[in-house]
Coordinates of all heavy atoms in Angstrom, one line a residue:
M19 N 0.8 -1.2 0.0 CA 0.0 0.0 0.0 C 0.9 1.3 0.0 O 1.9 1.3 0.7 CB -0.9 0.0 1.2 CG -2.1 0.8 1.1 SD -3.2 0.6 2.5 CE -3.2 2.2 3.2
K20 N 0.4 2.2 -0.7 CA 1.2 3.5 -0.8 C 1.0 4.4 0.4 O -0.1 4.4 0.9 CB 0.9 4.2 -2.1 CG 1.5 3.7 -3.3 CD 1.4 4.6 -4.5 CE 0.0 5.0 -4.8 NZ -0.1 5.8 -6.1
K21 N 2.0 5.1 0.7 CA 1.8 6.2 1.7 C 2.6 7.4 1.2 O 3.5 7.3 0.4 CB 2.1 5.8 3.1 CG 3.6 5.4 3.3 CD 3.8 5.1 4.8 CE 5.3 4.9 5.0 NZ 5.7 4.8 6.4
L22 N 2.3 8.5 1.9 CA 3.1 9.8 1.5 C 4.3 9.9 2.4 O 4.3 9.5 3.5 CB 2.2 11.0 1.8 CG 1.0 11.2 0.8 CD1 0.0 12.1 1.4 CD2 1.5 11.6 -0.6
N23 N 5.4 10.4 1.8 CA 6.6 10.6 2.5 C 7.1 12.0 2.2 O 7.2 12.5 1.1 CB 7.6 9.6 2.1 CG 8.9 9.8 2.9 OD1 8.9 9.6 4.1 ND2 10.0 10.2 2.3
V24 N 7.5 12.8 3.3 CA 8.2 14.0 3.1 C 9.6 13.9 3.5 O 9.9 13.4 4.6 CB 7.5 15.2 3.9 CG1 8.4 16.4 3.9 CG2 6.1 15.5 3.5
N25 N 10.5 14.2 2.6 CA 11.9 14.2 2.9 C 12.3 15.5 3.6 O 12.4 16.5 3.0 CB 12.7 14.0 1.6 CG 14.2 14.0 1.8 OD1 14.7 14.4 2.9 ND2 15.0 13.7 0.8
K26 N 12.4 15.4 4.9 CA 12.6 16.6 5.7 C 14.0 17.3 5.4 O 14.1 18.5 5.7 CB 12.6 16.3 7.2 CG 11.3 15.6 7.6 CD 10.5 16.5 8.4 CE 9.2 15.7 8.9 NZ 8.3 16.5 9.7
E27 N 14.9 16.6 4.9 CA 16.2 17.2 4.5 C 16.0 18.1 3.2 O 16.7 19.0 3.1 CB 17.2 16.2 4.3 CG 17.6 15.5 5.6 CD 18.7 14.5 5.5 OE1 19.4 14.5 4.4 OE2 18.9 13.7 6.4
A28 N 15.0 17.7 2.4 CA 14.8 18.5 1.2 C 13.8 19.6 1.4 O 13.9 20.6 0.7 CB 14.3 17.5 0.1
C29 N 12.9 19.4 2.3 CA 11.8 20.4 2.5 C 12.4 21.7 3.0 O 13.3 21.7 3.9 CB 10.8 19.9 3.6 SG 9.6 21.1 4.0
I30 N 11.9 22.8 2.4 CA 12.4 24.1 2.8 C 11.3 24.9 3.6 O 11.4 26.1 3.8 CB 12.9 25.0 1.6 CG1 11.8 25.1 0.5 CG2 14.1 24.3 1.0 CD1 12.1 26.0 -0.6
G31 N 10.2 24.2 3.8 CA 9.1 24.9 4.6 C 8.4 26.0 3.9 O 7.8 26.9 4.5
C32 N 8.3 25.8 2.5 CA 7.6 26.9 1.8 C 6.1 27.0 2.0 O 5.5 28.0 1.8 CB 7.9 26.7 0.3 SG 7.0 25.4 -0.5
G33 N 5.5 25.8 2.4 CA 4.1 25.8 2.7 C 3.2 25.5 1.5 O 2.0 25.4 1.7
A34 N 3.8 25.3 0.3 CA 2.9 25.0 -0.8 C 2.0 23.8 -0.6 O 0.8 23.8 -0.9 CB 3.8 24.8 -2.1
C35 N 2.6 22.7 -0.2 CA 1.8 21.5 0.0 C 0.8 21.7 1.1 O -0.3 21.1 0.9 CB 2.7 20.3 0.4 SG 3.7 20.5 1.9
V36 N 1.1 22.4 2.1 CA 0.1 22.6 3.2 C -1.1 23.4 2.7 O -2.2 23.1 3.0 CB 0.8 23.3 4.4 CG1 -0.2 23.6 5.5 CG2 1.9 22.5 4.9
S37 N -0.8 24.4 1.9 CA -1.9 25.2 1.4 C -2.7 24.5 0.4 O -3.9 24.7 0.3 CB -1.5 26.6 1.0 OG -0.5 26.5 0.1
I38 N -2.1 23.7 -0.4 CA -2.8 23.0 -1.5 C -3.6 21.8 -0.9 O -4.7 21.6 -1.3 CB -1.8 22.5 -2.6 CG1 -1.2 23.7 -3.3 CG2 -2.5 21.6 -3.6 CD1 -0.1 23.4 -4.2
D39 N -3.0 21.1 0.0 CA -3.6 19.9 0.5 C -3.5 19.8 2.0 O -2.7 19.0 2.5 CB -3.0 18.7 -0.2 CG -3.7 17.4 0.1 OD1 -4.7 17.4 0.8 OD2 -3.2 16.3 -0.3
S40 N -4.2 20.6 2.7 CA -4.2 20.6 4.2 C -4.8 19.4 4.8 O -4.6 19.2 6.0 CB -4.8 21.9 4.7 OG -6.2 21.9 4.3
E41 N -5.4 18.6 4.0 CA -6.0 17.3 4.5 C -4.8 16.3 4.8 O -5.0 15.5 5.7 CB -6.9 16.7 3.5 CG -7.6 15.5 4.0 CD -8.5 14.8 2.9 OE1 -8.8 15.5 1.9 OE2 -8.8 13.6 3.0
H42 N -3.7 16.5 4.1 CA -2.7 15.5 4.2 C -1.3 16.1 4.7 O -0.5 15.3 5.2 CB -2.4 14.8 2.9 CG -3.6 14.0 2.4 ND1 -4.4 14.5 1.4 CD2 -4.0 12.8 2.8 CE1 -5.4 13.6 1.2 NE2 -5.1 12.6 2.0
F43 N -1.2 17.4 4.6 CA 0.1 18.0 5.1 C -0.1 19.1 6.1 O -1.1 19.9 6.0 CB 0.9 18.6 3.9 CG 1.1 17.6 2.8 CD1 0.3 17.5 1.7 CD2 2.2 16.7 2.9 CE1 0.6 16.5 0.7 CE2 2.4 15.7 1.9 CZ 1.6 15.7 0.8
D44 N 0.8 19.2 7.0 CA 0.8 20.3 8.0 C 2.2 20.6 8.4 O 3.1 19.8 8.1 CB -0.1 19.9 9.2 CG -0.5 21.2 10.0 OD1 -0.1 22.3 9.6 OD2 -1.3 21.1 11.0
F45 N 2.5 21.7 9.0 CA 3.8 22.0 9.5 C 4.1 21.3 10.8 O 3.3 21.2 11.6 CB 4.0 23.5 9.7 CG 3.9 24.3 8.4 CD1 2.9 25.2 8.3 CD2 4.9 24.2 7.5 CE1 2.8 26.0 7.1 CE2 4.8 25.0 6.3 CZ 3.8 25.8 6.1
D46 N 5.4 20.8 10.9 CA 5.8 20.2 12.1 C 6.3 21.3 13.0 O 6.3 22.5 12.7 CB 6.8 19.1 11.9 CG 8.1 19.6 11.4 OD1 8.4 20.8 11.4 OD2 9.0 18.8 10.9
E47 N 6.8 21.0 14.2 CA 7.3 22.0 15.2 C 8.5 22.8 14.7 O 8.8 23.9 15.2 CB 7.6 21.4 16.5 CG 8.8 20.4 16.6 CD 8.4 19.0 16.1 OE1 7.3 18.8 15.6 OE2 9.3 18.2 16.2
N48 N 9.1 22.3 13.6 CA 10.3 23.0 13.1 C 9.9 23.8 11.8 O 10.8 24.4 11.2 CB 11.4 22.0 12.7 CG 11.9 21.3 14.0 OD1 12.2 22.0 15.0 ND2 12.0 20.0 13.9
G49 N 8.7 23.8 11.5 CA 8.2 24.6 10.3 C 8.4 23.9 9.0 O 8.3 24.4 7.9
Y50 N 8.7 22.6 9.0 CA 8.7 21.8 7.8 C 7.4 21.0 7.7 O 6.7 20.7 8.7 CB 9.9 20.8 7.8 CG 11.2 21.6 7.9 CD1 12.0 21.5 9.0 CD2 11.6 22.4 6.9 CE1 13.2 22.2 9.1 CE2 12.8 23.1 6.9 CZ 13.6 23.0 8.0 OH 14.8 23.7 8.1
S51 N 7.2 20.5 6.5 CA 6.0 19.8 6.2 C 6.1 18.4 6.8 O 7.1 17.8 6.9 CB 5.8 19.7 4.7 OG 4.7 18.8 4.4
E52 N 4.9 17.9 7.3 CA 4.8 16.5 7.7 C 3.5 16.0 7.2 O 2.5 16.7 7.0 CB 5.0 16.3 9.2 CG 3.8 16.9 10.0 CD 4.1 16.6 11.5 OE1 5.1 16.0 11.9 OE2 3.2 17.1 12.3
V53 N 3.5 14.7 7.0 CA 2.3 14.0 6.6 C 1.4 13.7 7.8 O 1.8 13.2 8.8 CB 2.6 12.6 5.9 CG1 1.3 11.9 5.5 CG2 3.5 12.9 4.7
I54 N 0.1 14.2 7.7 CA -0.8 14.0 8.9 C -1.8 13.0 8.6 O -2.6 12.7 9.5 CB -1.4 15.4 9.3 CG1 -2.1 16.0 8.1 CG2 -0.4 16.3 9.8 CD1 -3.0 17.2 8.5
N55 N -1.9 12.5 7.4 CA -3.0 11.6 7.1 C -2.7 10.8 5.8 O -2.2 11.4 4.8 CB -4.3 12.5 6.9 CG -5.5 11.7 6.4 OD1 -5.5 10.5 6.4 ND2 -6.5 12.4 6.0
N56 N -2.8 9.6 5.8 CA -2.5 8.8 4.6 C -3.8 8.1 4.0 O -3.7 7.2 3.2 CB -1.5 7.7 5.0 CG -0.1 8.2 4.7 OD1 0.3 8.6 3.6 ND2 0.7 8.2 5.8
D57 N -4.9 8.6 4.4 CA -6.2 8.2 3.8 C -6.4 8.9 2.5 O -6.2 10.1 2.4 CB -7.4 8.4 4.7 CG -7.2 7.6 6.0 OD1 -6.6 6.5 5.9 OD2 -7.8 8.0 7.0
N58 N -6.9 8.2 1.5 CA -7.4 8.9 0.3 C -6.2 9.8 -0.3 O -6.5 10.9 -0.6 CB -8.6 9.7 0.6 CG -9.2 10.3 -0.7 OD1 -9.0 9.8 -1.8 ND2 -9.8 11.5 -0.6
I59 N -5.1 9.2 -0.5 CA -3.9 10.0 -1.0 C -3.8 9.9 -2.5 O -3.0 10.7 -3.0 CB -2.6 9.5 -0.3 CG1 -2.3 8.0 -0.7 CG2 -2.6 9.7 1.1 CD1 -1.0 7.5 -0.2
D60 N -4.6 9.1 -3.1 CA -4.5 9.0 -4.6 C -5.6 9.9 -5.2 O -6.6 9.4 -5.7 CB -4.8 7.5 -5.0 CG -3.9 7.1 -6.1 OD1 -3.2 8.0 -6.7 OD2 -3.9 5.9 -6.5
N61 N -5.3 11.2 -5.2 CA -6.3 12.1 -5.8 C -5.5 13.3 -6.4 O -4.3 13.5 -6.1 CB -7.3 12.6 -4.7 CG -6.6 13.4 -3.7 OD1 -6.3 14.6 -3.9 ND2 -6.3 12.8 -2.5
D62 N -6.2 14.0 -7.2 CA -5.6 15.1 -8.0 C -5.0 16.2 -7.1 O -3.9 16.8 -7.4 CB -6.6 15.8 -8.9 CG -6.9 14.9 -10.1 OD1 -6.1 13.9 -10.3 OD2 -7.9 15.1 -10.8
N63 N -5.7 16.5 -6.0 CA -5.2 17.5 -5.1 C -3.9 17.1 -4.5 O -2.9 18.0 -4.4 CB -6.3 17.7 -4.0 CG -6.2 19.2 -3.5 OD1 -5.9 20.1 -4.2 ND2 -6.4 19.3 -2.2
T64 N -3.8 15.9 -4.0 CA -2.5 15.5 -3.4 C -1.4 15.4 -4.5 O -0.3 15.8 -4.2 CB -2.7 14.1 -2.8 OG1 -3.7 14.2 -1.8 CG2 -1.4 13.6 -2.1
R65 N -1.7 14.9 -5.7 CA -0.7 14.9 -6.7 C -0.3 16.3 -7.1 O 0.9 16.6 -7.4 CB -1.3 14.2 -8.0 CG -1.2 12.7 -7.9 CD -1.5 12.0 -9.2 NE -3.0 12.0 -9.4 CZ -3.8 11.1 -9.0 NH1 -3.3 10.0 -8.3 NH2 -5.1 11.1 -9.2
N66 N -1.2 17.2 -7.0 CA -0.9 18.6 -7.3 C 0.1 19.2 -6.2 O 1.0 19.9 -6.6 CB -2.2 19.4 -7.3 CG -2.0 20.8 -7.8 OD1 -1.0 21.2 -8.4 ND2 -3.0 21.7 -7.6
A67 N -0.2 18.8 -5.0 CA 0.7 19.3 -3.9 C 2.1 18.7 -4.1 O 3.1 19.4 -4.0 CB 0.2 18.8 -2.6
I68 N 2.2 17.4 -4.5 CA 3.5 16.8 -4.7 C 4.2 17.5 -5.9 O 5.4 17.8 -5.8 CB 3.3 15.3 -5.1 CG1 2.7 14.6 -3.8 CG2 4.6 14.7 -5.6 CD1 2.3 13.1 -4.1
S69 N 3.5 17.7 -7.0 CA 4.2 18.3 -8.1 C 4.5 19.8 -7.9 O 5.4 20.3 -8.6 CB 3.4 18.1 -9.4 OG 2.1 18.8 -9.3
S70 N 3.8 20.4 -6.9 CA 4.1 21.8 -6.7 C 5.3 22.0 -5.7 O 5.7 23.2 -5.5 CB 2.9 22.5 -6.0 OG 1.8 22.5 -6.9
C71 N 5.8 21.0 -5.1 CA 6.9 21.1 -4.2 C 8.1 21.6 -5.0 O 8.6 20.8 -5.9 CB 7.1 19.8 -3.5 SG 8.6 19.9 -2.4
P72 N 8.7 22.7 -4.6 CA 9.9 23.2 -5.4 C 11.1 22.3 -5.2 O 12.1 22.4 -6.0 CB 10.1 24.6 -4.8 CG 9.5 24.5 -3.4 CD 8.4 23.6 -3.5
T73 N 11.2 21.5 -4.2 CA 12.4 20.7 -4.0 C 12.1 19.2 -4.2 O 13.0 18.4 -3.8 CB 13.0 20.9 -2.6 OG1 12.0 20.5 -1.6 CG2 13.3 22.4 -2.3
S74 N 10.9 18.9 -4.7 CA 10.6 17.5 -4.9 C 10.8 16.6 -3.6 O 11.2 15.5 -3.7 CB 11.4 16.9 -6.0 OG 11.2 17.6 -7.2
A75 N 10.4 17.2 -2.5 CA 10.6 16.5 -1.2 C 9.5 15.5 -0.9 O 9.7 14.7 -0.1 CB 10.6 17.6 -0.1
I76 N 8.4 15.6 -1.7 CA 7.3 14.7 -1.4 C 7.2 13.5 -2.4 O 7.3 13.8 -3.6 CB 5.9 15.4 -1.4 CG1 6.0 16.7 -0.6 CG2 4.8 14.5 -0.8 CD1 4.8 17.6 -0.8
S77 N 7.0 12.4 -1.9 CA 6.8 11.2 -2.8 C 5.9 10.2 -2.2 O 5.6 10.2 -1.0 CB 8.2 10.6 -3.1 OG 8.7 10.2 -1.9
Y78 N 5.4 9.4 -3.1 CA 4.6 8.2 -2.6 C 5.7 7.1 -2.4 O 6.6 6.9 -3.2 CB 3.7 7.7 -3.7 CG 2.5 8.5 -4.0 CD1 2.3 9.2 -5.2 CD2 1.5 8.7 -3.0 CE1 1.2 9.9 -5.5 CE2 0.4 9.4 -3.3 CZ 0.2 10.1 -4.5 OH -0.9 10.8 -4.7
V79 N 5.5 6.4 -1.3 CA 6.4 5.3 -1.0 C 5.6 4.1 -0.7 O 4.4 4.2 -0.3 CB 7.4 5.6 0.2 CG1 8.4 6.7 -0.2 CG2 6.6 5.9 1.4
E80 N 6.1 2.9 -0.9 CA 5.4 1.7 -0.5 C 5.5 1.4 0.9 O 6.7 1.5 1.5 CB 6.0 0.5 -1.3 CG 5.6 0.5 -2.8 CD 4.1 0.4 -3.0 OE1 3.5 -0.4 -2.3 OE2 3.6 1.0 -3.9
E81 N 4.4 1.2 1.6 CA 4.5 0.8 3.0 C 5.0 -0.6 3.1 O 4.6 -1.5 2.3 CB 3.0 0.9 3.6 CG 3.0 1.2 5.0 CD 1.6 1.7 5.4 OE1 0.7 1.5 4.6 OE2 1.5 2.2 6.5
D82 N 6.0 -0.8 4.0 CA 6.6 -2.2 4.0 C 6.3 -2.9 5.3 O 7.1 -3.6 5.8 CB 8.1 -2.1 3.7 CG 8.8 -1.1 4.6 OD1 8.1 -0.5 5.5 OD2 10.0 -1.0 4.5
N83 N 5.1 -2.7 5.8 CA 4.7 -3.5 7.0 C 4.7 -5.0 6.7 O 4.2 -5.4 5.7 CB 3.3 -3.2 7.5 CG 3.1 -1.8 7.8 OD1 4.1 -1.1 7.9 ND2 1.8 -1.4 7.9
N84 N 5.2 -5.8 7.6 CA 5.1 -7.2 7.5 C 5.5 -7.7 6.1 O 5.0 -8.7 5.7 CB 3.7 -7.7 7.8 CG 3.2 -7.2 9.1 OD1 4.0 -7.0 10.0 ND2 1.9 -6.9 9.1
N85 N 6.4 -7.1 5.5 CA 6.7 -7.4 4.2 C 8.2 -7.8 4.1 O 9.1 -7.1 4.2 CB 6.5 -6.2 3.3 CG 6.5 -6.5 1.8 OD1 6.9 -7.6 1.5 ND2 6.0 -5.6 1.0
N86 N 8.4 -9.1 4.0 CA 9.7 -9.7 4.0 C 10.4 -9.6 2.6 O 11.0 -10.5 2.2 CB 9.7 -11.2 4.4 CG 10.0 -11.3 5.9 OD1 10.5 -10.3 6.5 ND2 9.8 -12.5 6.4
N87 N 10.3 -8.5 2.1 CA 10.7 -8.4 0.7 C 12.1 -7.7 0.7 O 12.3 -6.6 0.3 CB 9.7 -7.5 -0.1 CG 9.7 -7.9 -1.5 OD1 10.7 -8.5 -2.0 ND2 8.7 -7.5 -2.2
D88 N 13.1 -8.5 1.0 CA 14.5 -7.9 1.2 C 15.0 -7.4 -0.1 O 15.8 -6.4 -0.1 CB 15.4 -9.0 1.7 CG 15.1 -9.3 3.2 OD1 14.5 -8.5 3.8 OD2 15.5 -10.3 3.6
D89 N 14.6 -8.0 -1.2 CA 15.1 -7.5 -2.5 C 14.6 -6.1 -2.8 O 15.3 -5.3 -3.5 CB 14.6 -8.4 -3.7 CG 15.2 -9.7 -3.6 OD1 16.3 -9.8 -3.0 OD2 14.7 -10.7 -4.1
E90 N 13.5 -5.7 -2.2 CA 13.0 -4.4 -2.5 C 13.4 -3.3 -1.4 O 13.0 -2.2 -1.4 CB 11.4 -4.4 -2.4 CG 10.9 -5.4 -3.4 CD 10.5 -4.7 -4.7 OE1 10.1 -3.5 -4.7 OE2 10.6 -5.3 -5.8
C91 N 14.3 -3.8 -0.5 CA 14.7 -2.9 0.6 C 15.2 -1.6 0.1 O 16.1 -1.5 -0.8 CB 15.7 -3.6 1.5 SG 16.4 -2.5 2.7
D92 N 14.7 -0.5 0.6 CA 15.2 0.8 0.2 C 15.7 1.5 1.5 O 15.0 1.9 2.3 CB 14.0 1.7 -0.4 CG 14.4 3.1 -0.7 OD1 15.5 3.5 -0.3 OD2 13.7 3.8 -1.4
C93 N 17.0 1.5 1.6 CA 17.6 1.8 2.9 C 17.2 3.2 3.3 O 17.2 3.5 4.5 CB 19.1 1.7 2.8 SG 19.6 0.0 2.7
E94 N 17.0 4.1 2.4 CA 16.6 5.5 2.8 C 15.4 5.5 3.7 O 15.3 6.3 4.6 CB 16.3 6.3 1.6 CG 17.2 7.5 1.5 CD 16.8 8.4 0.3 OE1 16.0 7.9 -0.5 OE2 17.2 9.5 0.3
H95 N 14.4 4.6 3.5 CA 13.2 4.6 4.2 C 13.0 3.4 5.1 O 12.0 3.2 5.7 CB 12.0 4.7 3.2 CG 12.2 5.8 2.3 ND1 12.2 7.2 2.6 CD2 12.4 5.8 0.9 CE1 12.3 7.9 1.6 NE2 12.5 7.1 0.5
C96 N 14.0 2.6 5.0 CA 13.8 1.2 5.6 C 13.8 1.3 7.1 O 14.7 1.9 7.8 CB 15.0 0.4 5.2 SG 14.9 -1.3 5.7
D97 N 12.9 0.6 7.8 CA 12.8 0.5 9.2 C 13.5 -0.7 9.8 O 13.7 -0.8 10.9 CB 11.3 0.4 9.7 CG 10.6 1.7 9.4 OD1 11.2 2.8 9.6 OD2 9.4 1.7 9.1
H98 N 13.9 -1.6 8.9 CA 14.6 -2.8 9.4 C 16.1 -2.5 9.3 O 16.6 -1.5 8.7 CB 14.4 -3.9 8.4 CG 13.0 -4.0 7.9 ND1 12.0 -4.4 8.7 CD2 12.5 -3.7 6.7 CE1 10.9 -4.4 8.0 NE2 11.1 -4.0 6.8
H99 N 16.9 -3.4 9.9 CA 18.3 -3.3 9.8 C 18.8 -4.2 8.8 O 19.0 -5.4 9.0 CB 18.9 -3.6 11.2 CG 18.5 -2.6 12.2 ND1 19.0 -1.3 12.3 CD2 17.7 -2.7 13.3 CE1 18.5 -0.7 13.3 NE2 17.6 -1.5 13.9
C100 N 18.9 -3.7 7.6 CA 19.3 -4.6 6.5 C 20.9 -4.6 6.5 O 21.6 -3.9 7.2 CB 18.8 -4.2 5.2 SG 19.5 -2.6 4.6
E101 N 21.4 -5.5 5.6 CA 22.8 -5.7 5.6 C 23.6 -4.6 4.9 O 24.8 -4.6 4.9 CB 23.1 -7.0 4.9 CG 22.5 -8.3 5.5 CD 23.1 -8.5 6.9 OE1 24.3 -8.4 7.1 OE2 22.3 -8.9 7.8
N102 N 22.9 -3.7 4.2 CA 23.6 -2.8 3.3 C 24.2 -1.6 4.1 O 23.6 -0.7 4.3 CB 22.7 -2.3 2.2 CG 22.3 -3.5 1.3 OD1 23.1 -4.3 1.0 ND2 21.0 -3.5 1.0
Ligands
SF4_222 S1 5.9 22.1 -0.8 FE1 7.8 20.9 -0.4 S2 9.3 22.4 0.3 FE2 7.3 23.3 0.5 S3 6.6 22.8 2.6 FE3 5.8 21.2 1.3 S4 7.4 19.5 1.3 FE4 8.3 21.4 2.1

């Protein structure tokens, strides 16, 4: 299942995603965007927020709960301790 991810290192806190799609994005305590809701993320408004981000900080990622798919491990987002 897909979920939204904000790369906080890339986010500059411009607020575009928050103003376009406040159902899914809000500012965290540091003024950067964070995902507040992963329901109904496959819609034009959310895609518009993603494409409006000036630093391409927002992306859809695959949720990897209970998923023993080591070949698909993406260390950047990985919650497991993989060998890489
Ligand atoms: S649009 Fe991008 S840079 Fe701007 S607040 Fe959202 S995630 Fe951060």
Side-chain angles (χ1 to χ4, degrees):
M19 204 174 116
K20 283 194 299 187
K21 64 176 188 174
L22 289 164
N23 181 66
V24 172
N25 178 349
K26 303 252 184 180
E27 291 183 14
C29 176
I30 57 172
C32 74
C35 61
V36 177
S37 54
I38 293 169
D39 186 4
S40 59
E41 185 186 340
H42 296 103
F43 302 100
D44 200 356
F45 292 114
D46 67 13
E47 66 277 8
N48 298 313
Y50 298 113
S51 172
E52 69 179 355
V53 178
I54 55 170
N55 175 11
N56 269 301
D57 295 334
N58 184 30
I59 59 173
D60 217 355
N61 66 78
D62 286 347
N63 207 36
T64 301
R65 279 189 284 273
N66 191 14
I68 293 171
S69 65
S70 297
C71 176
T73 61
S74 302
I76 312 168
S77 57
Y78 288 115
V79 295
E80 286 297 322
E81 209 162 14
D82 55 358
N83 300 348
N84 308 324
N85 194 343
N86 260 349
N87 207 343
D88 290 341
D89 290 337
E90 301 267 328
C91 174
D92 178 346
C93 290
E94 238 187 343
H95 309 293
C96 183
D97 291 323
H98 321 286
H99 297 287
C100 71
E101 301 293 322
N102 297 320

